[in-house]
Amino acid sequence: MKKAYLYIAISTLMFSSMEIALKMAGSAFNPIQLNLIRFFIGAIVLLPFALRALKQTGRKLVSADWRLFALTGLVCVIVSMSLYQLAITVDQASTVAVLFSCNPVFALLFSYLILRERLGRANLISVVISVIGLLIIVNPAHLTNGLGLLLAIGSAVTFGLYSIISRYGSVKRGLNGLTMTCFTFFAGAFELLVLAWITKIPAVANGLTAIGLRQFAAIPVLVNVNLNYFWLLFFIGVCVTGGGFAFYFLAMEQTDVLTASLVFFIKPGLAPILAALILHEQILWTTVVGIVVILIGSVVTFVGNRFRERDTMGVIEQPTAAATDDEHVIKAAHAVSNQEN
């Protein structure tokens, strides 16, 4: 158990420093280029773990798996993470970190709308509390950076959508979370590479520039990828992107999904502190209040899911005599679904 909490601590530190590292790299790299590089490196870091998982289950990837990875790569890497990277370039790292950490709220809503999963009382309360926290941080009456907030919230919404697609796809295809994440990163990086090549076509580059999207015209791929930025890219790709997820899944192996998810409950509080210490970003009192409210919402979710998991497992361990084998399977499936939520 001590090892699990060590993994959680390392993963939390990595994820909480993500926005800071990306902010520091922003002046040297195009946002989309940085996205491509970090997810490709992250995929390579996760690859040995993913291959081991596939070998243990005797599973081989087929064309249907790659179609799923293409979809999750599109939603996660190209859409969500591109919005996320752009948000960091125009807004404070601390604000983006807190807003993005609300993605589980949107995942809950998508699970209800798409998968028709019932929202428990604790999750519903958490959604309401988290939305209040978001409104306090955004402060609609005194918006100073509407674009940054819009990009960050858009990133959180689409990442919540990716979470549901990934979870549904992994259950349907029989793939664990680490394998899904690894090959989602590979697929997304490849799709970004293709898009980068397309933006280099003169007609496309000129068209994007003409409509004010110069940042997306002729996206570089290897510019500034040299020894001068080696340690920065190493930290972003190996430590933050690859290492953060690797230690998160290692923690999950040592404990359970809910305990490992402490990573995302601590991040909204830790990330702004690190941003203030390293980037000297000023944290407004409204942001502090909003962070506290969101953390309360996270605690409600965590505690509520703990009680729900305990009650569900109690039902599984003490089935009625009249229960059929199919009913046992259904109960177990609901237990897994609840743990993942």
Side-chain angles (χ1 to χ4, degrees), residues 122 125-127 129-130 265 292-302:
I125 294 172
S126 175
V127 168
I129 293 174
S130 297
F265 295 153
V292 172
V293 172
I294 290 172
L295 287 174
I296 292 172
S298 298
V299 170
V300 170
T301 299
F302 184 79

Side-chain angles (χ1 to χ4, degrees), residues 15-27:
F15 284 141
S16 298
S17 61
M18 185 182 298
E19 291 81 10
I20 297 169
L22 294 176
K23 188 81 171 180
M24 293 171 67
S27 59

Side-chain angles (χ1 to χ4, degrees), residues 53-193:
L54 289 172
K55 185 177 180 180
Q56 288 175 343
T57 57
R59 181 79 156 74
K60 291 185 178 180
L61 297 180
V62 296
S63 58
D65 297 324
W66 287 106
R67 287 195 294 271
L68 173 61
F69 299 146
L71 175 61
T72 53
L74 173 67
V75 178
C76 174
V77 179
I78 293 184
V79 180
S80 178
M81 290 296 99
S82 291
L83 292 174
Y84 172 79
Q85 187 63 51
L86 289 169
I88 290 173
T89 63
V90 299
D91 208 341
Q92 290 195 136
S94 56
T95 302
V96 176
V98 174
L99 294 177
F100 183 76
S101 294
C102 290
N103 71 80
V105 172
F106 300 110
L108 283 172
L109 294 176
F110 283 123
S111 71
Y112 172 76
L113 295 173
I114 298 174
L115 302 182
R116 300 300 179 186
E117 293 182 350
R118 184 179 64 85
L119 281 178
R121 183 183 301 173
N123 285 335
L124 193 57
I125 294 172
S126 175
V127 168
V128 174
I129 293 174
S130 297
V131 169
I132 292 173
L134 276 173
L135 290 174
I136 292 172
I137 293 173
V138 171
N139 194 7
H142 299 89
L143 276 179
T144 57
N145 192 341
L147 177 60
L149 293 172
L150 186 64
L151 290 170
I153 294 174
S155 176
V157 170
T158 49
F159 194 85
L161 176 61
Y162 152 72
S163 299
I164 296 305
I165 296 173
S166 179
R167 181 160 63 82
Y168 174 78
S170 64
V171 172
K172 187 175 181 180
R173 300 300 308 163
L175 298 167
N176 69 0
L178 192 151
T179 303
M180 277 294 305
T181 302
C182 174
F183 291 104
T184 290
F185 286 2
F186 268 125
F190 177 75
E191 290 166 342
L192 271 182
L193 180 62

Side-chain angles (χ1 to χ4, degrees), residues 1 8 251-261 302 306 309 339:
M1 200 65 173
I8 290 172
M252 202 180 296
E253 289 179 4
Q254 295 288 324
T255 176
D256 55 68
V257 176
L258 286 175
T259 303
S261 67
F302 184 79
R306 272 293 183 197
E309 178 189 359
Q339 287 179 354

